[in-house]
Amino acid sequence: MAEPLPWCHLDGAVMPLADARISPLDRGFLYADGVYEVVPVHRGRPFRFVEHIARLEHSLAATGIANPHDRDGWRALFRELLARNGAAELYVYLQVTRGAEFGRNHAPPRDLEPTVFAFCAPLPPADPRLLADGLACITAGDTRWARCDIKSVALLANVLLRGAAVERGAQETILIREGWLTEASSSAVHVVLDDTLLAPPQTQAILAGTTRAVVEELAQAAGLRCIARPISEAELRGADEVWLSAAVRGLASVTRLDGHAVGTGTPGPWFRRLHADFATLIGGLADTPW
């Protein structure tokens, strides 16, 4: 991954990222008592800004952390941070914790000032080999907590699951819970079966993917039927195509799963169509309102 850009936001001030300091008594550090968002920026425009902030609002409400800004306030924060860093293709990592108290207390205090931190980093360039060959993935049991609809900073299980993929020479781990697909360690999963695009239903077992929603919109426009329903492990392994979607990754094709070919073992025709449509959508973002 590329090094982050030099300017960050911390509690109302824009400053050099190298100078940013947060109390070791911050509850985000002690308890992972915080939430986050990742917003891709294309052509200088935050992509699906409203949807990302709506998901942040959901996470804050679900954890009882006070929302430090309304949507105009978040928009102003983004504008200043993007102007300082001056890059057109990047992502913004935004984190809000419950704040710092003098001591350690499991019960969440009600009067803390939330800690707000954000920084930017360049989006990784598209790898033509992955477009041509696709990704290798493994599967594993879903060992995460029961509220995956909250975009929590408590990501230890995700980190270990992604690490297991890397150790086996793969790029991502796709998760199975009691025989049913949930998602991947840091991506939504799409399954193409018989010219139908399937994805698990939106429950507390998965994160509501903003990029997933974009992919489904493009799929419907291309004439691919979209259905949200439970997907069995057998259906995953027998799929014609399997895709991953995420804010930073965009849309990627899974061509090997646990060492076995998915479909023909190469990115399929529906993926190639949707990947091109996604690129066209991104290419038209310059000067659009957000």
Side-chain angles (χ1 to χ4, degrees), residues 40-43 47 89 123 214 276-286:
V41 177
H42 300 286
R43 310 302 191 267
F47 185 52
E89 297 294 317
L123 284 168
V214 175
D277 290 348
F278 201 114
T280 299
L281 177 65
I282 296 302
L285 291 178

Side-chain angles (χ1 to χ4, degrees), residues 164-188:
V166 172
E167 288 174 2
R168 291 173 56 181
Q171 285 85 28
E172 178 63 293
T173 301
I174 293 176
L175 307 178
I176 307 295
R177 182 172 292 180
E178 297 179 349
W180 300 96
L181 170 67
T182 52
E183 52 193 342
S185 70
S186 62
S187 314

Side-chain angles (χ1 to χ4, degrees), residues 65-282:
I65 297 174
N67 191 339
H69 297 294
D70 60 18
R71 291 189 181 180
D72 286 340
W74 288 120
R75 192 173 279 109
L77 186 158
F78 269 62
R79 284 201 176 104
E80 184 175 14
L81 193 57
L82 295 176
R84 286 292 192 96
N85 283 299
E89 297 294 317
L90 54 89
Y91 66 88
V92 177
Y93 176 91
L94 172 63
Q95 179 170 307
V96 183
T97 76
R98 201 176 303 274
E101 60 178 321
F102 195 67
R104 186 172 181 275
N105 175 27
H106 279 74
R110 298 182 179 274
D111 57 351
L112 293 183
E113 187 75 19
T115 299
V116 180
F117 171 65
F119 75 94
C120 302
L123 284 168
D127 186 339
R129 294 172 301 175
L130 293 182
L131 183 59
D133 301 333
L135 300 176
C137 294
I138 65 170
T139 59
D142 192 342
T143 55
R144 303 168 305 159
W145 74 320
R147 288 300 307 273
C148 294
D149 59 307
I150 299 171
K151 201 166 176 67
S152 164
V153 299
L155 293 174
L156 179 58
N158 304 67
V159 168
L160 296 176
L161 289 162
R162 174 64 73 85
V166 172
E167 288 174 2
R168 291 173 56 181
Q171 285 85 28
E172 178 63 293
T173 301
I174 293 176
L175 307 178
I176 307 295
R177 182 172 292 180
E178 297 179 349
W180 300 96
L181 170 67
T182 52
E183 52 193 342
S185 70
S186 62
S187 314
V189 181
H190 309 258
V191 172
V192 179
L193 272 174
D194 301 324
D195 289 330
T196 300
L197 184 64
L198 304 175
Q202 298 284 3
T203 67
Q204 292 183 354
I206 66 171
L207 183 71
T210 55
T211 309
R212 164 182 163 166
V214 175
V215 170
E216 291 173 344
E217 290 173 17
L218 293 173
Q220 289 176 323
L224 182 59
R225 185 171 62 150
C226 297
I227 299 176
R229 67 159 175 81
I231 301 168
S232 69
E233 182 176 354
E235 288 177 313
L236 170 69
R237 297 189 185 281
D240 301 318
E241 300 184 37
V242 176
W243 310 339
L244 303 179
S245 65
V248 174
R249 173 180 278 137
L251 182 63
S253 175
V254 178
T255 53
R256 297 196 67 79
L257 189 61
D258 291 329
H260 299 284
V262 175
T264 63
T266 59
W270 278 116
F271 169 78
R272 293 195 297 270
R273 167 70 185 274
L274 269 293
H275 189 273
D277 290 348
F278 201 114
T280 299
L281 177 65
I282 296 302

